[in-house]
Amino acid sequence: MKKFDDCCNPKRESASDFLMSQKYVGRNLEGYKCEVIKTQKGNVQIFWKKEGEKIDLRYYSPSCFTTKIALEALCEWINNGEVKNAKEAIEKLSKIKGYKITEDVKNLVYEIFTRVI
């Protein structure tokens, strides 16, 4: 699994950072499991595979910015082992500058952890 180099990919801290550089949108997904999560904003596809204890997570989402920011952040944090459960993920999402967590986002986070972890 790829870990992004901080030198060339500075730490993302604001909502716009996650939107401007979408690194985890599903591409080259051979060998990944797929789940569809139905949200009020549309269907979200999550793709993952486990390699030992590590999880490689990708997504495809409708054009809802709130959802894309959450998915992009979750993929990065889960892939890098920075969050282990939905509670940690929601807490970390709340610290993204310029981002407001909605009930839809909380539900999406719980759905992802229920299906993938």
Side-chain angles (χ1 to χ4, degrees), residues 59-108:
Y59 71 92
Y60 176 76
S61 172
S63 60
C64 172
F65 294 135
T66 305
T67 302
K68 282 186 177 186
I69 292 166
L71 289 166
E72 189 68 26
L74 285 172
C75 287
E76 181 173 299
W77 299 335
I78 289 171
N79 291 354
N80 293 336
E82 296 177 44
V83 294
K84 301 290 183 204
N85 57 53
K87 184 178 177 185
E88 287 179 9
I90 290 169
E91 185 176 314
K92 198 160 177 162
L93 282 169
S94 72
K95 294 178 182 172
I96 295 175
K97 295 175 188 171
Y99 186 67
K100 183 178 178 190
I101 298 174
T102 63
E103 283 303 312
D104 288 342
V105 169
K106 287 180 184 178
N107 292 336
L108 178 62

Side-chain angles (χ1 to χ4, degrees), residues 15-67:
S16 62
D17 292 340
F18 288 98
L19 279 177
M20 295 303 289
S21 177
Q22 295 178 22
K23 302 173 186 176
Y24 299 97
V25 175
R27 290 183 221 60
N28 303 324
L29 299 169
E30 188 173 321
Y32 284 73
K33 295 178 184 176
C34 178
E35 290 267 348
V36 175
I37 299 172
K38 294 179 190 278
T39 71
Q40 290 183 344
K41 309 286 186 198
N43 291 340
V44 171
Q45 291 177 303
I46 55 171
F47 306 91
W48 78 96
K49 65 180 174 180
K50 286 188 177 185
E51 295 176 355
E53 293 296 313
K54 293 205 173 238
I55 296 174
D56 186 12
L57 182 65
R58 303 280 184 246
Y59 71 92
Y60 176 76
S61 172
S63 60
C64 172
F65 294 135
T66 305
T67 302

